[in-house]
Amino acid sequence: MDWGTELWDQCDIIEKHTQSGLELVEKYVKFVKERTEIEQNYAKQLRNLSKKYNLKRSSKDEPECRLSSYQSFLDILNETNDYAGQRELIAENMMMNICIDLTKYLQELKQERKTYLMEAKKAQQSLESTYKQLDSSKKRFEREWREAERAAQYAEKTDQDINATKADVEKAKQQAHMRAHVAEECKNDYAAQLQKYNKEQNQFYFTDMPLIFNKLQDLDERRVRKLAQGYILFSDTEKHVMPIIGKCLEGITKAGTNVNERNDSMVVIEQNKSGFERPGDVEFEDYSQGINRASSDSSLGTPKGPMELLGKNKSKNFWLFSKKSKPTVTEDFAHLPPEQRRKRLQQKLEEICKELQKEVDQSEALGKMKDVYEKNPQMGDPASLASQISQTSQNIERLRGELNKYETWLAEAGGRGDTLRYKTHTFNNNGAHDVLSPDGAHSDESTPDPSQAIYAEFDDDFEDEELTTPIGKCTAMYSFPGASEGTISMQEGEVLAVVEEDKGDGWTRVRRNNGDEGYIPTSYVTINLNK
């Protein structure tokens, strides 16, 4: 069943129905737009909430940062922020896949519907025009036929009138004949117009309008189908992100299960344990025995109670519930309790060792470069490196001094610093490896300075080091002899594996297929790093 057959006489109804259908699409688009605004506002509120309670704004050195409950709360805030991102994605996809798509489709439907209605209007106007012609020819035929009848009656009356002349009779007959002829022509014209109108009317009601109605029916069905798809997308858009939202919720659940109250208690102990001994019993002071006054007074020199301990350790925050004043921070961390002081000194030693290792590496690189410049003057002036070498040596000596200072403090605090290691190799003018002594002179390796016991000697062989995974390849543009210590020779066009990037000193560490490693000038090769 189709509209062209069943609703052939309901043009107004069809026009009204299709308009109502388009309005429904517009209403649905507006509904989805408001839904996206709700999602966007919801996501914005969630992000603001997450940001408001995100404790990362505080210092990372805060003791709470190591607590599992603290970390889990941060995880929940991050998951909430990710959840907000999924709500934003829902809004974005709804806007793109439903609102924008349906709005574009709606404009196309409106234009198509307008075209069909214009065709129907033209067909209607054409039929009405033909009907007007038919009505006009019919009225003319009616008018002429009456005139012909009157002319015939007048001719007959004149013929029977005895007083009429022959000329009058003849004239009346001619007039009647002419009117009859005109009436006959009008009759034929009316018949032709009637036939034309009936043909057009048949074409209009059985062909033209049914075709247009069927097109409008197809348009309306396509609209309904597209709208139904929009309804489904409304659900599917959210369904598509539900797995990720589920992961966010699982992450929140996991954050809760990751909370370890016992571990948090241990962290609190580790962070806040002072290392002090509990005060002993307060001795009885017998002032009634004068003979024991001296001994009693002397006993006051040995602090026994918490207040006396407090007097002895004024720099130690030894009290339980009284308000603590902010201690004066000292370089040796003496303002901290023993346990906390050891931890801070150990941490400081590790930081100094890392910084010292960087300076030692820089010294090594400068030594290599100076050696290469001395043997290959065309590559550079060795004297240009003097200021950098001097500055690096000063930095090394300064850091060694700080290292010894903090080791001494750590030893006083009862800690150990003999686990700290770093390489202390450099190059002399002859390209040989030497270990620098604290005063910058070359020390004898057979009689190492006891104060430098924590330093690890440089291993001359790269083979003893753990092989590093290559980070790329390089191709030699020029040949390089590799005559100095630590360098490696290469031939023009040779391909080598890159194991360490240029750190700014002009040298790149490479490896051959046979395992040989060494440094080459960065400017001598083209490098392609792995991505």
Side-chain angles (χ1 to χ4, degrees), residues 146-158:
R146 289 176 180 174
E147 290 294 330
E149 284 184 341
R150 282 198 294 268
Q153 291 175 0
Y154 179 74
E156 183 178 354
K157 183 178 178 181
T158 303

Side-chain angles (χ1 to χ4, degrees), residues 226-449:
K226 186 71 173 180
L227 188 57
Q229 293 172 356
Y231 292 162
I232 295 172
L233 278 175
F234 187 79
S235 171
D236 288 348
T237 300
E238 189 161 355
K239 284 182 180 179
H240 289 162
V241 300
M242 286 305 294
I244 303 177
I245 290 178
K247 289 182 179 179
C248 293
L249 298 177
E250 289 174 4
I252 294 176
T253 302
K254 184 178 179 182
T257 57
N258 286 342
V259 175
N260 187 323
E261 63 278 7
R262 188 62 182 170
N263 182 68
D264 284 3
S265 295
M266 294 300 102
V267 170
V268 172
I269 293 174
E270 180 186 351
Q271 290 179 339
N272 300 284
K273 182 180 178 181
S274 67
F276 289 127
E277 294 293 335
R278 290 182 177 86
D281 294 340
V282 178
E283 294 183 1
F284 176 73
E285 305 290 341
D286 191 356
Y287 291 98
S288 64
Q289 302 296 328
I291 192 171
N292 294 328
R293 288 292 299 274
S295 61
S296 178
D297 290 341
S298 65
S299 66
L300 295 175
T302 304
K304 298 296 183 179
M307 295 307 295
E308 294 180 65
L309 283 173
L310 177 59
K312 183 179 179 180
N313 301 286
K314 290 183 178 180
S315 62
K316 314 295 189 300
N317 295 329
F318 193 88
W319 48 76
L320 299 180
F321 304 107
S322 59
K323 184 176 181 182
K324 297 182 180 180
S325 60
K326 187 174 181 181
T328 303
V329 179
T330 58
E331 186 181 7
D332 62 352
F333 304 112
H335 63 287
L336 297 175
E339 188 71 21
Q340 302 305 316
R341 184 188 181 200
R342 282 193 293 270
K343 291 178 181 178
R344 291 299 299 272
L345 288 171
Q346 187 73 30
Q347 181 182 356
K348 187 67 176 179
L349 277 171
E350 291 175 0
E351 293 173 358
I352 294 174
C353 278
K354 289 180 181 178
E355 189 176 352
L356 184 55
Q357 184 62 60
K358 291 180 181 178
E359 294 295 335
V360 170
D361 291 341
Q362 178 71 8
S363 177
E364 175 192 358
L366 290 171
K368 291 178 184 178
M369 185 178 295
K370 180 180 179 182
D371 185 69
V372 172
Y373 285 177
E374 288 175 347
K375 295 183 178 182
N376 302 278
Q378 71 276 9
M379 294 184 64
D381 182 12
S384 64
L385 303 175
S387 62
Q388 297 183 49
I389 292 176
S390 176
Q391 182 62 44
T392 303
S393 297
Q394 293 176 15
N395 292 341
I396 290 175
E397 296 312 313
R398 174 181 57 80
L399 290 170
R400 282 177 174 171
E402 290 188 12
L403 193 66
N404 289 332
K405 181 171 61 176
Y406 277 94
E407 282 177 341
T408 302
W409 287 337
L410 182 59
E412 292 176 356
R416 298 177 59 190
D418 56 356
T419 58
L420 302 174
R421 300 286 178 181
Y422 70 97
K423 297 184 296 180
T424 61
H425 51 280
T426 184
F427 289 86
N428 59 23
N429 293 337
N430 297 324
H433 293 285
D434 288 319
V435 179
L436 291 179
S437 61
D439 58 0
H442 300 294
S443 61
D444 187 352
E445 294 182 5
S446 62
T447 57
D449 186 346

Side-chain angles (χ1 to χ4, degrees), residues 149-169:
E149 284 184 341
R150 282 198 294 268
Q153 291 175 0
Y154 179 74
E156 183 178 354
K157 183 178 178 181
T158 303
D159 184 52
Q160 294 177 358
D161 187 0
I162 57 174
N163 296 322
T165 62
K166 186 176 181 180
D168 291 336
V169 173

